[in-house]
Amino acid sequence: MHSTHNFPQEDLKRLLDQYSDFVKKELFPIDLKVVTGPFRSYLPQLEALRSKAKTLGLFAPHLSREDGGIGLNLVQFAQVSEILGQSPIGHYVFNCNAPDIGNMELLHLFGSDEQKKTWLKPLQEGKIRSCFAMTEPEHAGSNPINMSTTAVREGDVYRINGHKWFTTAADGARFTIVMAVTNPEAESPYQRASMIIVPLDNPGYKFIRNIPIMGEAGEDYMSHAEIRFENCLIPVTNLIGAEGQGFALAQERLGPGRIHHCMRWIGICERVFDLMCKRAVSRELDHGKPLADKQTIQNWIAESRAEIKASRLMVLDTAEKMQEYGAKAVREDISTIKFFVADVLMKVIDRAIQVHGALGITDDTLLSFWYRHERGARIYDGPDEVHKSALARSILKNYRSHG
């Protein structure tokens, strides 16, 4: 969905400055309060910020101009994504937040005209939110071909039954895209599932709960739900693409999605790094003896700077290659950035917490919020171990063939 028309490079710097300015002036002063919640009580304020972003022409940077965006390509959007990642509400305010951005991508590429009109357009305009239901509590998410949710065709409708969880932002969403088995007999396990749009006002859709993440359930956009489909009847016209194409479509959604995530993590690292350095110079152990004078702290700061820089260059390089050659050509690179950047993210947050001392584990800074909610970075979109294994196998294949 990222534009193929190039947004002029000379305008990019000016644009990045505008985003940076907005995030620092408008979001930094309120984001800790918003994430501490209750989130819903801040929706009117966030809505006003979204309107402001629209007025400034900064809304939905990933969309083409025809669709009401700016028309950035993947590499350019990646740079915006880093800036927005510095605030936990950045992507939300500019309507390029997961899971909506992935769903926009899917519907843009594979949705029917009717689906685009009913679901994609209001999503692009930020009038509604959506979610994506794939992971099931009964099966290891790291091997998603094992799936118990079924969609059985009966004439003009599908009857959907199943149990999903970690359906991010289901609370308050208007629809979900559900992965369900439609072709259980298909020879390849990758051709058994399909993607179907389910409006959440359907009587067969049951919201069970927002799952507490290390003690915090959250609400609305800032939540992950457990849900059930119980004889949920959905018109066949809500199928996205063709039957059995679910996994193929999911791959289309994941490639750019991994770039988005990694750049967001780098944005978090930059904000956390800033907090760590400010704390190091301002906290005194004794009169005139700041933490910053301690060698261990200096090592953490130097290592963090190097790792953040390495992460950024690695991700932008992958984005450039993906833009030029497509997601398939950069499979190795995608695996590499996924586990490398997730690891850097957790290391940098952990060091910053340590530098803050007891303050670091309170909710008086954003550090504990990010520590709780981003620990999942090493699990979702394929656990680190799966990516490392895939990368190693891919590398070793060449050695084996020459053996």
Side-chain angles (χ1 to χ4, degrees):
M1 182 165 56
H2 292 284
S3 179
T4 41
H5 316 295
N6 224 357
F7 180 86
Q9 199 59 32
E10 60 275 14
D11 294 347
L12 186 65
K13 166 106 181 64
R14 179 182 50 78
L15 190 69
L16 294 176
D17 287 344
Q18 277 182 284
Y19 277 109
S20 196
D21 206 44
F22 190 107
V23 169
K24 287 193 173 97
K25 286 186 181 150
E26 305 282 357
L27 307 188
F28 281 12
I30 63 162
D31 54 16
L32 180 60
K33 287 198 293 247
V34 175
V35 301
T36 313
F39 185 84
R40 271 205 186 90
S41 64
Y42 291 96
L43 283 175
Q45 206 171 340
L46 293 172
E47 214 36 64
L49 287 168
R50 282 182 147 200
S51 300
K52 191 165 187 176
K54 275 185 189 167
T55 309
L56 293 170
L58 299 173
F59 198 67
H62 59 296
L63 295 180
S64 66
R65 288 179 184 273
E66 306 87 273
D67 291 326
I70 302 178
L72 299 186
N73 63 32
L74 182 61
V75 176
Q76 294 166 336
F77 176 68
Q79 294 168 73
V80 171
S81 197
E82 179 187 332
I83 293 167
L84 302 187
Q86 293 179 27
S87 170
I89 53 175
H91 286 81
Y92 177 85
V93 165
F94 293 94
N95 198 31
C96 50
N97 46 290
D100 289 330
I101 187 169
N103 289 347
M104 287 184 220
E105 202 127 2
L106 261 181
L107 290 168
H108 173 78
L109 291 171
F110 307 106
S112 65
D113 289 346
E114 185 56 35
Q115 289 169 357
K116 286 179 179 171
K117 200 175 90 195
T118 312
W119 306 111
L120 178 59
K121 200 160 173 9
L123 202 56
Q124 290 173 332
E125 291 168 354
K127 290 182 175 158
I128 62 172
R129 280 196 305 94
S130 64
C131 54
F132 188 74
M134 180 164 173
T135 310
E136 299 182 352
E138 292 81 8
H139 302 285
S142 51
N143 186 12
I145 57 171
N146 297 321
M147 198 178 286
S148 299
T149 301
T150 56
V152 179
R153 186 160 178 174
E154 299 174 0
D156 293 338
V157 297
Y158 285 110
R159 182 183 295 274
I160 304 177
N161 281 290
H163 184 196
K164 301 281 189 183
W165 75 335
F166 283 91
T167 301
T168 298
D171 184 8
R174 191 69 58 85
F175 71 94
T176 188
I177 294 176
V178 65
M179 277 278 267
V181 174
T182 47
N183 305 55
E185 305 306 315
E187 210 168 309
S188 163
Y190 293 101
Q191 287 170 352
R192 289 174 193 159
S194 302
M195 287 192 184
I196 301 166
I197 299 169
V198 176
L200 299 194
D201 58 2
N202 186 295
Y205 165 82
K206 309 280 186 245
F207 176 92
I208 299 172
R209 60 170 179 150
N210 284 330
I211 303 159
I213 305 299
M214 296 199 189
E216 185 186 342
E219 61 179 22
D220 201 76
Y221 160 67
M222 291 232 166
S223 63
H224 307 274
E226 180 181 355
I227 60 178
R228 274 189 193 278
F229 300 94
E230 295 173 0
N231 292 318
C232 187
L233 299 176
I234 296 297
V236 170
T237 49
N238 281 23
L239 174 74
I240 301 175
E243 271 196 2
Q245 270 191 344
F247 283 106
L249 303 189
Q251 283 310 313
E252 292 286 340
R253 191 178 184 276
L254 275 177
R258 298 229 172 94
I259 300 278
H260 302 164
H261 271 312
C262 286
M263 291 308 285
R264 184 176 64 79
W265 297 339
I266 292 164
I268 294 171
C269 285
E270 284 292 359
R271 177 94 178 267
V272 166
F273 182 80
D274 184 54
L275 290 170
M276 173 164 63
C277 294
K278 283 176 174 159
R279 176 73 172 181
V281 296
S282 64
R283 186 66 158 178
E284 293 193 338
L285 300 164
D286 212 343
H287 186 61
K289 292 188 178 164
L291 278 173
D293 288 352
K294 295 292 178 195
Q295 191 175 10
T296 297
I297 309 273
Q298 292 170 354
N299 283 344
W300 288 346
I301 287 168
E303 286 163 14
S304 298
R305 174 40 68 221
E307 288 163 351
I308 296 167
K309 191 169 187 179
S311 297
R312 178 184 297 111
L313 292 171
M314 203 188 265
V315 178
L316 289 175
D317 177 60
T318 304
E320 265 173 43
K321 286 189 202 153
M322 188 187 290
Q323 197 169 284
E324 202 165 327
Y325 307 111
K328 258 205 176 76
V330 291
R331 272 208 303 241
E332 280 192 20
D333 302 74
I334 291 171
S335 280
T336 309
I337 61 172
K338 171 65 175 63
F339 71 76
F340 184 85
V341 184
D343 185 51
V344 168
L345 170 68
M346 290 318 295
K347 275 200 267 198
V348 173
I349 298 174
D350 193 65
R351 289 168 188 150
I353 287 175
Q354 197 70 6
V355 172
H356 280 73
L359 173 63
I361 56 172
T362 69
D363 282 337
D364 292 358
T365 77
L366 281 168
L367 297 173
S368 66
F369 170 83
W370 272 323
Y371 198 74
R372 282 194 296 278
H373 291 277
E374 299 303 339
R375 177 58 184 82
R378 292 186 42 215
I379 299 168
Y380 60 70
D381 280 3
D384 287 5
E385 294 71 21
V386 172
H387 286 286
K388 287 176 185 177
S389 178
L391 176 62
R393 282 200 313 270
S394 182
I395 292 167
L396 291 169
K397 197 185 282 174
N398 297 325
Y399 285 85
R400 288 202 171 109
S401 60
H402 296 130

